Amino acid sequence: MGELLLIALSAVIINNVVLTYFLGICPFLGVSRRLDMAFGMGAAVTVVMTIAGLLTFLVNKHVLIPLNLSFLQYIVFIFVIASAVQLVELYLRKSFPVLYESFGVFLPMITTNCAILGTCLFIWLKDYTTLSEALVYSVFGGVGFTLAIVIMAGIREELDLADVPRPLRGAAITLFIAAILAMAF
């Protein structure tokens, strides 16, 4: 149980996929303008990351490795991630149409979000060999993504009210904040 707690804390704080590995920067910067959108994107990424992490773990362990097809890992992982995104997209379109519309192009971009693919690959690189370890790492990797994007959105909402020097407005201050957050994590 202690090992799973360490995996969870590591995925959220120490080895945060966005702020440590710089994966998933596009949605991190693109959807972090408003807190509600950032939380929705973080939740969607967490769901997709959990589904993709579990499915890729099972496919890799029970199909690719036994059949000596590990060279297909990237292709299979991308297919699984794309399928998971489609399921989440259908669910959001049906259940939360306002949130679905607010995401715009960023929801389909989850398919190409390297944070999700990175998490699926890190499960094997970090030698997590049990389903529970893969599940914990996937879930809390998504929680770490959500934490990072929500913190960024909160800061960016406050910056709308701040007197930011003219040369730093827009993307410049956003990148400075991302750098400071990365150093903090």
Side-chain angles (χ1 to χ4, degrees), residues 9-175:
L9 286 174
S10 172
V12 174
I13 298 171
I14 300 162
N15 294 315
N16 186 295
V17 70
V18 176
L19 299 173
T20 301
Y21 297 113
F22 304 110
L23 298 174
I25 294 295
C26 184
F28 175 70
L29 295 176
V31 185
S32 63
R33 294 188 202 289
R34 291 188 10 229
L35 199 54
D36 58 339
M37 281 182 55
F39 183 76
M41 178 59 83
V45 167
T46 301
V47 169
V48 170
M49 196 176 285
T50 301
I51 294 168
L54 284 176
L55 291 177
T56 56
F57 176 84
L58 293 171
V59 167
N60 202 33
K61 184 172 185 168
H62 298 293
V63 177
L64 297 179
I65 292 173
L67 295 176
N68 201 22
L69 296 173
S70 295
F71 62 92
L72 294 175
Q73 197 175 44
Y74 286 100
I75 295 168
V76 171
F77 284 13
I78 290 170
F79 178 73
V80 168
I81 292 167
S83 301
V85 169
Q86 288 301 311
L87 290 173
V88 170
E89 190 173 355
L90 289 172
Y91 175 75
L92 286 177
R93 185 183 310 157
K94 196 78 158 165
S95 303
F96 303 101
V98 174
L99 184 61
Y100 173 78
E101 291 297 323
S102 69
F103 282 152
V105 72
F106 291 105
L107 188 59
M109 282 179 56
I110 293 176
T111 302
T112 59
N113 187 341
C114 53
I116 297 170
L117 180 60
T119 299
C120 295
L121 293 171
F122 286 153
I123 288 171
W124 294 100
L125 291 174
K126 295 177 183 284
D127 211 23
Y128 297 143
T129 56
T130 66
L131 186 61
S132 60
E133 290 173 338
L135 174 66
V136 167
Y137 186 73
S138 298
V139 169
F140 285 95
V143 170
F145 180 89
T146 304
L147 178 67
I149 198 170
V150 166
I151 289 172
M152 179 62 112
I155 292 171
R156 287 180 77 179
E157 281 187 355
E158 290 296 319
L159 279 177
D160 289 342
L161 305 172
D163 185 26
V164 178
R166 187 178 198 111
L168 294 178
R169 290 185 185 151
I173 194 70
T174 303
L175 293 174

